């Protein structure tokens, strides 16, 4: 008797009646008896039909190559593959190894008409796969627009996912700590590590019940918009990895890439913190990520704080010698050294690099000078406090005017309705007036929300005033003798930025902005190889370069 193998497959998108694994195997076994075939191998597999490198399918192909099979029994062509190209490859390969493919639900004739029909069925299997994917996507999109939420059982800290109802609810015992995390970050300016250390000291358990609040856990809470009342779906898309690992994977597209925000699907959820509090923290999180020490090999005091005034690019730290790094650290413009190094010279940024030690000494010297001036401190504090009070008073007046307008529109609506009830105006006139009133009322709500958010953000962003108030204490404690970490933390808290324009450095973020001049030691931040490229691009090759 001829030997045969049975191949049965399902995928998460194909769990439909008649294609379960047991049902396929049972029908294939009945078919094998009718055809007089002896089944020596049964393969059940849960994998996508769009993939060719399936483990179970690979076993059958290996058996056919070794001459152990004379037939492969499959319930339907779409169970073998959902790709027409893969289907043709498998059929050709197995027949070349003298192992024909037999379909229970689609007998294949070895005639031109039979081959054409088989090709059409394979094409429709691929088409059906795309339709299933599209229907799944549209169905999920419709449910999200209706307010449904889809999460795994490991819902965010502070929430509990209700599986049958597709929604989340707040766990108040955890939400209390979420609010404290946001308050510590916004009001006290604590770093992620300090927040985690404080939670550990208080014995606060994590979502899984452990006692380990790492920085990435705290960052995931502060950066998740679900705590502000908005849940997003589809923020990342599957893609093939650039550097795939060796071995087989269940999915070919095993990596993820971030989608544009406009492509996300969103649904409202119960909020734990105010939107203004969430928005006030995000710029600091982005800054912390950009200035993380893992992004630099050597210590740069002004890392992420220098901008080229000529082209607008950030300037980066550059080490010219591996043997003596501290003596060869400098800051170079991205527009000249990296992104545009192969452009003609006249099209590049002309900002020369600056020795790191000289620029850092210049900036820190200005910090010490301004902090030591007690009169300047007092005047600046008074001026900024007055500006803050003036802006707050202006917002209060605008908000009061909006509330007055809202009350006037409500009275106007009552008046129009009263005129209709007294038969002074007809229904058409009533509808016209009410539509105009509703349109004006709808414009008031976002205006009020914007002003209220601005007022809340101004209250939360008072860290600069507090930082200035701490300057006096820092000066008395010996600001000039601070360690590198203390200087770095101080500059971050002040939001210091340096704008380089040639030899002029404009320092902002301190008590008063100041433009100073420095001596440039490096006029050409290129290696010998780049100098040769410069000459070639300019059409001139000097004797020294040759």
């Amino acid at each position: 008797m001829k030997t045969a193998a049975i191949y049965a497959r399902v995928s998460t998108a194909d769990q439909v009646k008649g294609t379960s694994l047991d049902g396929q195997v049972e029908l294939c076994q009945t078919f094998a008896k009718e055809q007089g075939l002896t089944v020596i191998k049964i393969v059940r597999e849960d994998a996508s039909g769009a993939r060719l490198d399936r483990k179970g399918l690979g076993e059958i192909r290996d058996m056919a190559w070794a001459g152990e099979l004379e037939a492969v029994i499959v319930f339907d062509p779409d169970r073998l593959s959902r790709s027409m190209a893969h289907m043709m490859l498998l059929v050709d390969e197995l027949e070349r190894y003298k192992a024909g493919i037999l379909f229970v639900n689609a007998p294949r004739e070895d005639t031109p008409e039979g081959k054409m029909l088989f090709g059409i069925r394979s094409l429709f299997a691929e088409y059906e796969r795309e339709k299933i994917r599209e229907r799944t996507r549209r169905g999920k999109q419709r449910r999200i627009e209706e307010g449904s939420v889809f999460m795994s059982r490991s819902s965010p800290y502070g929430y509990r996912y209700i599986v049958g109802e597709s929604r989340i609810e707040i766990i108040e015992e955890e939400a209390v700590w979420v609010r404290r995390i946001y308050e510590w970050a916004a009001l006290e300016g604590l770093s992620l590590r300090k927040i985690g250390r404080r939670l550990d000291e208080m014995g606060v358990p994590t979502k899984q019940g452990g006692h380990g609040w790492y920085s990435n856990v705290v960052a995931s809470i502060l950066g998740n918009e679900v705590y502000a009342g908005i849940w997003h779906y589809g923020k990342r898309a599957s893609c093939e990895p650039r550097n795939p690992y060796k071995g087989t994977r269940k999915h070919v597209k095993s990596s993820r890439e971030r989608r544009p925000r406009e492509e996300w699907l969103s649904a409202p959820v119960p909020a734990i913190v105010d939107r203004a509090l969430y928005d006030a923290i995000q710029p600091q999180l982005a800054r912390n990520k950009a200035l993380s020490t893992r992004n630099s090999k050597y210590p740069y005091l002004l890392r992420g704080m220098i901008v080229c005034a000529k082209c607008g690019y950030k300037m980066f730290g550059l080490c010219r010698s591996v043997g003596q790094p501290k003596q060869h650290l400098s800051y170079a413009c991205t527009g000249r050294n990296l992104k545009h190094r192969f452009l003609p010279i006249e099209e590049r940024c002309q900002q020369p690099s600056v020795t790191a030690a000289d620029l850092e000494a210049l900036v820190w010297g200005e910090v010490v000078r301004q902090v030591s001036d007690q009169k300047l401190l007092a005047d600046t504090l008074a001026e900024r406090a007055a500006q803050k009070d003036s802006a707050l008073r202006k917002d209060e007046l605008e908000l009061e005017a909006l509330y007055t307008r809202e009350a006037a529109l409500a009275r106007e609506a009552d008046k129009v309705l009263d005129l209709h009830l007294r038969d002074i105006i007809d229904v058409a006139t009533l509808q016209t007036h009410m539509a105009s009133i509703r349109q004006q009322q709808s414009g008031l709500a976002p205006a009020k929300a914007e002003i209220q958010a601005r007022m809340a953000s101004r209250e939360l962003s008072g860290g600069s005033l507090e930082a200035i108030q701490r300057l006096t204490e820092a000066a008395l404690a010996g600001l000039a003798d601070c360690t590198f970490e203390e200087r770095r933390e101080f500059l971050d808290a002040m939001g210091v930025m340096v704008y380089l324009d040639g030899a002029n450095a404009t320092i902002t973020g301190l008590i008063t902005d100041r433009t100073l001049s420095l001596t440039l030691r490096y006029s050409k931040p290129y290696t010998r190889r780049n100098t040769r490229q410069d000459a070639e691009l300019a059409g001139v090759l000097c004797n020294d370069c040759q």
Side-chain angles (χ1 to χ4, degrees):
M1 297 180 66
K2 292 185 177 181
T3 57
I6 294 176
Y7 180 76
R9 182 193 65 84
V10 295
S11 61
T12 55
D14 278 341
Q15 299 294 345
V16 296
K17 184 177 180 180
T19 60
S20 65
L21 289 175
D22 293 338
Q24 292 180 52
V25 172
E26 183 179 353
L27 292 172
C28 289
Q29 287 176 334
T30 303
F31 180 81
K33 292 180 180 180
E34 295 175 353
Q35 299 295 323
L37 301 174
T38 301
V39 178
I40 62 173
K41 181 72 173 179
I42 298 177
V43 175
R44 295 178 172 87
E45 192 159 40
D46 176 11
S48 171
R51 296 179 62 245
L52 187 60
D53 55 338
R54 288 169 257 162
K55 183 178 179 181
L57 182 61
E59 294 178 4
I60 291 182
R61 295 170 69 183
D62 291 340
M63 294 178 66
W65 175 80
E68 300 175 7
L69 297 177
E70 297 177 82
V72 177
I73 304 174
V74 186
F75 173 71
D76 194 87
D78 62 5
R79 299 300 90 200
L80 181 63
S81 178
R82 287 282 191 179
S83 171
M84 184 176 180
H86 293 170
M87 180 76 75
M88 297 297 104
L89 184 147
L90 290 172
V91 170
D92 180 71
E93 175 185 305
L94 293 175
E95 289 182 347
R96 190 167 64 251
Y97 298 147
K98 309 301 182 182
I101 296 183
L102 303 176
F103 296 104
V104 177
N105 200 32
R108 188 166 63 95
E109 299 179 3
D110 192 16
T111 61
E113 292 80 6
K115 292 180 180 179
M116 181 185 69
L117 181 61
F118 177 72
I120 293 175
R121 292 203 57 158
S122 302
L123 185 62
F124 270 93
E126 184 174 350
Y127 168 75
E128 184 181 1
R129 175 174 64 90
E130 297 299 327
K131 292 296 292 182
I132 291 173
R133 180 184 299 175
E134 178 65 15
R135 285 197 300 267
T136 303
R137 186 193 66 81
R138 291 180 64 86
K140 186 167 289 187
Q141 179 180 354
R142 179 181 57 80
R143 293 195 60 188
I144 292 175
E145 291 174 352
E146 294 174 353
S148 297
V149 174
F150 303 100
M151 287 185 179
S152 62
R153 295 188 181 274
S154 58
S155 53
Y157 184 83
Y159 289 100
R160 179 187 298 110
Y161 182 56
I162 311 301
V163 181
E165 302 178 13
S166 298
R167 65 180 182 86
I168 58 175
E169 63 181 15
I170 296 176
I171 304 176
E172 194 57 39
E173 293 80 4
E174 297 178 355
V176 171
W177 295 108
V178 173
R179 298 186 186 98
R180 290 193 181 184
I181 290 173
Y182 274 84
E183 292 171 357
W184 292 339
L187 303 180
E188 299 184 29
L190 296 184
S191 64
L192 301 179
R193 184 175 299 177
K194 290 181 179 179
I195 292 175
R197 188 180 301 120
R198 180 176 293 187
L199 291 170
D200 289 336
E201 292 173 353
M202 293 182 175
V204 180
T206 61
K207 188 71 174 178
Q208 305 301 327
H211 295 274
W213 287 91
Y214 299 101
S215 299
N216 61 330
V217 178
V218 179
S220 65
I221 293 177
L222 294 175
N224 195 343
E225 200 170 357
V226 70
Y227 295 104
I230 300 294
W231 171 78
H232 297 292
Y233 175 80
K235 293 189 292 186
R236 297 184 181 275
S238 300
C239 64
E240 296 186 13
R242 295 181 179 178
N243 299 313
Y245 295 98
K246 294 182 179 179
T248 59
R249 289 177 177 266
K250 185 175 181 180
H251 302 288
V252 175
K253 297 183 177 181
S254 55
S255 296
R256 310 281 287 173
E257 62 181 1
R258 195 172 184 85
R259 281 194 176 115
R261 188 179 178 90
E262 55 270 14
E263 296 181 6
W264 299 356
L265 301 177
S266 306
V269 294
I272 294 181
V273 299
D274 294 334
R275 182 73 198 191
L277 182 61
Y278 173 83
D279 291 339
I281 293 176
Q282 301 315 304
Q284 182 61 31
L285 290 179
R287 181 178 176 84
N288 292 345
K289 183 177 180 180
L291 301 181
S292 175
T293 54
R294 66 175 178 269
N295 296 329
S296 60
K297 185 176 181 180
Y298 301 108
Y300 295 94
L301 181 64
L302 303 177
R303 182 181 72 252
M305 301 179 184
I306 311 177
V307 178
C308 175
K310 295 181 179 295
C311 62
Y313 280 109
K314 285 285 188 70
M315 298 185 68
F316 65 97
L318 180 64
C319 179
R320 298 179 174 278
S321 174
V322 179
Q324 297 176 334
K326 293 185 178 180
Q327 300 179 9
H328 296 273
L329 297 181
S330 62
Y331 294 101
C333 179
T334 306
R336 180 174 182 177
N337 283 66
L338 290 182
K339 294 187 177 181
H340 306 293
R341 60 185 294 183
F342 297 111
L343 291 177
I345 295 178
E346 59 274 9
E347 296 183 13
R348 303 184 199 175
C349 178
Q350 300 302 312
Q351 173 63 43
S353 61
V354 179
T355 304
D358 293 346
L359 184 58
E360 292 170 358
L362 183 73
V363 173
W364 191 250
E366 180 63 20
V367 169
V368 174
R369 187 194 69 80
Q370 293 194 21
V371 167
S372 302
D373 192 339
Q374 300 299 320
K375 184 177 183 303
L376 181 62
L377 276 172
D379 294 344
T380 303
L381 283 174
E383 180 182 356
R384 294 195 179 185
Q387 292 176 354
K388 183 176 180 180
D389 293 340
S390 176
L392 183 61
R393 180 56 182 166
K394 182 179 178 181
D395 288 339
E396 290 176 349
L397 292 175
E398 292 181 4
L399 190 61
E400 183 179 354
L402 290 177
Y403 278 116
T404 302
R405 179 57 180 165
E406 187 178 35
L409 289 174
R411 290 194 299 269
E412 184 177 352
D414 293 339
K415 181 179 178 180
V416 172
L417 182 60
D418 182 63
L419 292 175
H420 172 66
L421 295 176
R422 293 163 55 186
D423 293 332
I424 297 178
I425 59 175
D426 56 10
V427 177
T429 305
L430 171 67
Q431 293 176 346
T432 302
H433 282 77
M434 292 302 292
S436 176
I437 293 173
R438 291 193 190 97
Q439 183 178 3
Q440 296 180 60
Q441 289 176 333
S442 63
L444 295 178
K448 291 191 301 181
E450 180 181 356
I451 295 176
Q452 291 171 347
R454 190 165 63 236
M455 294 172 65
S457 177
R458 188 174 289 111
E459 290 293 333
L460 293 173
S461 61
S464 59
L465 291 177
E466 296 179 1
I468 294 176
Q469 290 175 343
R470 292 196 298 268
L471 289 180
T472 304
E473 301 177 2
L476 296 176
L479 194 61
D481 300 327
C482 289
T483 64
F484 177 86
E485 291 74 16
E486 292 172 341
R487 295 187 182 192
R488 180 70 196 184
E489 184 177 357
F490 180 83
L491 294 175
D492 285 340
M494 291 297 297
V496 172
M497 294 297 296
V498 181
Y499 296 87
L500 276 181
D501 187 359
N504 297 324
T506 302
I507 307 171
T508 64
L510 295 177
I511 302 173
T512 57
D513 296 345
R514 183 76 183 277
T515 300
L516 302 174
S517 298
L518 68 157
T519 303
L520 299 179
R521 295 186 185 181
Y522 301 136
S523 59
K524 293 184 178 181
Y526 301 104
T527 63
R528 184 177 182 84
R529 176 186 176 186
N530 289 338
T531 305
R532 182 182 181 90
Q533 292 170 351
D534 295 345
E536 291 175 350
L537 290 171
V540 178
L541 191 60
C542 62
N543 295 329
D544 187 39
C545 294
Q546 295 176 349

